[in-house]
Amino acid sequence: MNKRKKFSLLVLPGDGIGPEVMREALRVVEWVGQYAGVEFAINLGTVGGAAIDAYGTPIQDETIEEAKQVDAVLFGAVGGPRWEKLDFSLRPEIAILRLRRDLSLFANLRPVTVFDPLIETSTIKPEVIRNLDLVIVRECMGGLYFGEPRGIETMPDGQTRGFNTETYSTNEIERVARVAFDLARRRRRIVCSVEKANVTESGLVWRQVISKLHEREFEDIELRHMYADNCAMQLVRNPKQFDVIVTGNIFGDILSDLASMLTGSLGMLPSATIGSSTGDSFRPALYEPIHGSAPDIAGKGIANPMAQILSVAMMLRLSLDLEKEAELVEQACIQSLARGARTADLALAGEPALTTTEMGDAVLRELESLIT
Ligand code: NAD
């Protein structure tokens, strides 16, 4: 039984719709605190474009230090057109990359679950996605987004050349593969490893390392290999063949956005970014929706807060050992959808759409009804 009655959280809403969806997620955190009789000591921090404007840097060192101390970090989203002309090293997105790197958070777990009430919202046929439940484990500290060398240079003939390096080494592959195999042990015991071993050396090494690890430690799990382009196609054709997908940084980034549309909206997908576990729970760890700051709808009060609220559920489960409360939050989300709660991204033509706050209200109402 969980004995702890106090948890510290660092909350980083960020830019665009980040603060809008975070507001609703924090109402849920407050509700859980009262229901479970636990205290959440919440520190609010500034990251992304907001931090660039305030401090001239996407994330301050103090914020990184604080993130290392707390039980969990709840992150919104960063970025926007205002900061797009800055050098890469100064962009808002550096905030999330630095948090992952400095806290050694190498595995991003992205559950793709189709909730029954949203079957009609997806653009994919109901029979293809009904009861879909898969998890993408994306390596997020290496690969193309971190590989060196990288840069932009002028070639002798005056052309400009941009270059990045896709690189993976044994340890980087093994540690994320372990997360995927461990997860599969608690699920349907199938891991599909995704790369481009047919055309890239890093993909070939990825395949070889995972195969050897599988032989050594995880023979009870079925291991499949798939090229990333085929995986994109299979995710649309027959997504239920997957249980756990493990892949590198860039393929994970793209495939999980693709998979989000199976669920109906990018606004539905939460994620957890974890490092090595300490006992049964992950600390430090970072929880965030997979969507970005959505500048096209920011400030309108219409963003879907579900992905952020479901990220709270993942935090309760994976870092705070509050499983029962995590389930309550997930149930409340499903039930509010079942009763017709829809933000604009989920509403079908002609259906009324709720504001972000009204969607938060709907989830809180269901939380109350679940415990009475
Ligand atoms: P995005 O995820 O912000 O938006 C893509 C589309 O989905 C938009 O049409 C948007 O309105 C919609 N959408 C996203 N979340 C939604 C929600 N909760 N409710 C309703 N609709 C939603 O991706 P983008 O437009 O490619 O990027 C915008 C900015 O966000 C960029 O600066 C990008 O770098 C940044 N970004 C940040 C993160 C992060 O903070 N982890 C992740 C991805 C993108």
Side-chain angles (χ1 to χ4, degrees):
M1 207 179 100
N2 179 53
K3 296 274 193 298
R4 281 188 63 186
K5 288 288 171 201
K6 186 167 179 181
F7 297 101
S8 54
L9 305 182
L10 176 62
V11 173
L12 304 171
D15 308 313
I17 63 167
E20 300 172 33
V21 292
M22 188 65 84
R23 209 168 297 130
E24 304 314 310
L26 289 181
R27 291 170 72 198
V28 169
V29 170
E30 190 186 338
W31 185 92
V32 169
Q34 280 171 8
Y35 166 74
V38 299
E39 186 188 334
F40 292 107
I42 293 178
N43 272 359
L44 271 178
T46 307
V47 286
I52 293 172
D53 292 348
Y55 312 112
T57 174
I59 186 160
Q60 292 181 290
D61 292 341
E62 295 91 300
T63 310
I64 298 275
E65 284 315 306
E66 213 177 324
K68 289 180 183 166
Q69 306 305 324
V70 291
D71 290 308
V73 180
L74 198 54
F75 193 94
V78 290
R82 220 173 113 97
W83 304 282
E84 259 166 23
K85 295 212 164 57
L86 292 174
D87 185 79
F88 272 119
S89 60
L90 293 173
R91 292 233 186 133
E93 290 77 4
I94 291 295
I96 188 75
L97 298 183
R98 260 201 77 192
L99 278 166
R100 286 175 187 160
R101 191 195 64 199
D102 292 1
L103 274 66
S104 289
L105 303 177
F106 55 82
N108 186 217
L109 312 188
R110 301 185 155 192
V112 181
T113 314
V114 171
F115 298 134
D116 236 23
L118 289 187
I119 285 277
E120 299 299 332
T121 309
S122 174
T123 46
I124 311 290
K125 287 185 186 138
E127 62 270 26
V128 177
I129 52 169
R130 195 179 305 281
N131 299 325
L132 176 68
D133 173 18
L134 65 88
V135 182
I136 298 179
V137 179
R138 167 190 172 195
E139 200 292 327
C140 63
M141 267 181 72
L144 197 68
Y145 297 173
F146 288 91
E148 296 284 348
R150 63 183 294 164
I152 299 176
E153 66 181 16
T154 306
M155 292 157 61
D157 65 358
Q159 288 189 72
T160 305
R161 188 174 83 100
F163 55 98
N164 295 83
T165 305
E166 168 78 357
T167 156
Y168 273 114
S169 59
T170 311
N171 288 351
E172 285 175 306
I173 300 165
E174 282 191 350
R175 67 185 183 179
V176 73
R178 276 207 174 83
V179 170
F181 283 128
D182 281 340
L183 188 62
R185 267 200 182 131
R186 284 176 272 131
R187 297 173 47 95
R188 299 195 301 280
R189 293 180 174 253
I190 306 168
V191 169
C192 181
S193 167
V194 172
E195 27 58 6
K196 287 287 284 178
N198 50 342
V199 286
T200 66
E201 283 78 3
S202 69
L204 186 61
V205 170
W206 179 284
R207 185 176 287 218
Q208 289 167 347
V209 169
I210 288 200
S211 299
K212 281 188 194 143
L213 178 70
H214 174 249
E215 266 174 44
R216 278 201 317 272
E217 296 177 32
F218 296 100
E219 275 203 315
D220 56 316
I221 309 289
E222 181 182 336
L223 173 64
R224 300 173 184 165
H225 300 280
M226 196 176 274
Y227 298 136
D229 44 349
N230 185 24
C231 183
M233 187 272 278
Q234 294 294 341
L235 271 170
V236 179
R237 193 185 73 86
N238 176 19
K240 282 189 254 182
Q241 69 184 284
F242 297 107
D243 179 19
V244 176
I245 293 175
V246 62
T247 188
N249 213 338
I250 186 165
F251 296 141
D253 193 358
I254 296 167
L255 292 173
S256 54
D257 263 35
L258 187 157
S260 77
M261 283 317 293
L262 303 169
T263 72
S265 167
L266 196 54
M268 289 302 300
L269 254 64
S271 83
T273 313
I274 59 172
S276 304
S277 69
T278 41
D280 281 342
S281 48
F282 292 96
R283 281 188 214 126
L286 183 145
Y287 298 87
E288 57 170 332
I290 79 156
H291 63 70
S293 56
D296 54 335
I297 58 165
K300 296 185 179 162
I302 58 169
N304 183 352
M306 285 290 187
Q308 189 79 64
I309 293 172
L310 291 165
S311 299
V312 168
M314 290 189 85
M315 173 184 82
L316 297 172
R317 173 174 295 124
L318 295 177
S319 284
L320 310 186
D321 303 322
L322 293 169
E323 173 63 32
K324 182 174 157 211
E325 288 74 12
E327 275 173 32
L328 271 177
V329 172
E330 285 163 353
Q331 274 312 310
C333 288
I334 297 171
Q335 228 165 273
S336 59
L337 294 168
R339 285 192 212 275
R342 301 278 187 277
T343 35
D345 55 311
L346 299 174
L348 299 176
E351 261 184 358
L354 300 184
T355 63
T356 309
T357 312
E358 287 168 341
M359 196 68 154
D361 293 343
V363 174
L364 286 166
R365 253 196 320 274
E366 294 309 326
L367 279 169
E368 284 299 326
S369 88
L370 280 166
I371 59 160
T372 47

